[in-house]
Amino acid sequence: MMEQVVSAPQKSILKSTAPINLFLSGVGSGKTHLLGIKTYQLIRKFPKVRGFVGANTYLQLVQSTLF
């Protein structure tokens, strides 16, 4: 088991039971890291469900850190 270190705002998002959460923050705040952890949690909980990560524009998608 690997333990991840997260900030207090990240922890509140990870523990949230709300259907929609907003994590609005600046460069280097760990948004992509948080998305990776949350995705991992969902994959473990629902292993047979298909998922999708998208973007508002093609430029955002191709310049993303998520390939």
Side-chain angles (χ1 to χ4, degrees):
M1 177 178 248
M2 184 185 297
E3 187 173 322
Q4 296 291 322
V5 178
V6 295
S7 66
Q10 289 173 325
K11 189 178 290 187
S12 66
I13 293 287
L14 291 172
K15 290 184 174 186
S16 174
T17 58
I20 297 175
N21 291 288
L22 174 63
F23 188 69
L24 184 64
S25 57
V27 175
S29 60
K31 295 180 299 290
T32 303
H33 180 73
L34 178 65
L35 179 62
I37 294 171
K38 192 65 184 174
T39 302
Y40 175 74
Q41 288 176 342
L42 291 170
I43 289 170
R44 285 189 48 117
K45 190 172 184 179
F46 307 105
K48 305 234 184 225
V49 173
R50 292 183 185 197
F52 174 77
V53 175
N56 292 333
T57 67
Y58 179 75
L59 189 60
Q60 287 177 336
L61 190 61
V62 296
Q63 292 180 343
S64 172
T65 55
L66 297 173
F67 298 104

